Each structure stands twice: as C-alpha cells, then as structure tokens.
Amino acid sequence: MTAIDSSDFSEFARRYVAMWNEPDAALRHATVDALFASGGSHYTPTREFHGHHALRSRVTEGYEQWVEPGTHVFRFVPGADGHHGTVRFNWEMAETGSGRSVAVGFDFVVLDQDGLIVSDHQFIDR
C-alpha cells in the first residue's frame, strides 16, 4: 500500500468505520492488520492499545458491546480530510431501530510512509 492522497481520505475513513461493524471476526481482524502498522496504537481519553493483538481486541470489544446486540451501528460522516501523513474524520454511532445518532466521534490518525496507521487518537464529541 502506498501513502494515501487526498482522493482517498474518505475511502480510508469508510474502511476504518466499517471495521467496527464487521460481524466476521476473521475479516475484522484482517482489516485491523490492513489498516494499522504492526506497532500501531489507538488512544482514547482513558485507554490505549498497542500492536495488532491489542487493536484486534479493542475493535472486537467495541463490536461486541455496541453492534453485535443489534442495537447500534457505526456510520461514516462525510468530510474526511488530511495532509502530511495524517487523516482526520468524524463518525457517529446510531440506534439501528430509529437511525438516531447517539454518539459522535472524531479520529485523528498519523500514517507511516506506507499509509498504515501509526497512531489513532479518538475523541468523543457527544
């Protein structure tokens, strides 16, 4: 994979958000491996995860808590942007029944020269 250019920011963010909704554990883990560098990290305001094994567990935890019960889904929000090896994008978590947004988040990711995530900083706006 080569470094992503401006035309790919939205596609990158869509793949990232779709990873959290993926019901197939093997595919979900493969997507983590395809998006993150082997030593990549994910940071929330209160937690941090380093390396593929921890990242796979983190994404699986989110899936099992919010998506698997059938009550929520994560959605990409248009407007991904980036420059100099970074990408920023918004996402939301919505109720599956009503479609009502119940949480909005923002991720800022730093990429390596191959376009893989080195660090992912997640912020929850509401």
Side-chain angles (χ1 to χ4, degrees):
M1 178 178 193
T2 59
I4 46 181
D5 62 39
S6 61
S7 64
D8 297 328
F9 294 141
S10 289
E11 182 55 33
F12 175 87
R14 284 181 203 283
R15 286 181 59 216
Y16 178 95
V17 173
M19 169 181 71
W20 296 84
N21 293 316
E22 178 53 56
D24 183 298
L27 187 52
R28 190 170 53 246
H29 293 173
T31 304
V32 167
D33 295 353
L35 289 174
F36 284 85
S38 62
S41 298
H42 174 73
Y43 301 93
T44 74
T46 59
R47 300 167 74 194
E48 56 186 74
F49 307 85
H50 305 282
H52 282 166
H53 179 74
L55 292 164
R56 288 183 212 120
S57 294
R58 164 66 174 138
V59 174
T60 295
E61 174 187 278
Y63 173 81
E64 289 174 348
Q65 181 177 4
W66 302 108
V67 179
E68 186 175 48
T71 55
H72 297 89
V73 64
F74 293 99
R75 298 188 299 210
F76 164 75
V77 175
D81 193 14
H83 60 80
H84 294 90
T86 64
V87 181
R88 66 178 182 155
F89 56 92
N90 288 88
W91 51 267
E92 63 184 358
M93 183 173 70
E95 294 175 336
T96 54
S98 69
R100 182 176 70 91
S101 175
V102 296
V104 175
F106 168 85
D107 277 63
F108 178 79
V109 301
V110 177
L111 307 172
D112 67 11
Q113 67 277 4
D114 295 320
L116 299 175
I117 300 170
V118 174
S119 64
D120 172 10
H121 305 266
Q122 183 182 80
F123 300 85
I124 308 297
D125 295 331
R126 74 164 162 89

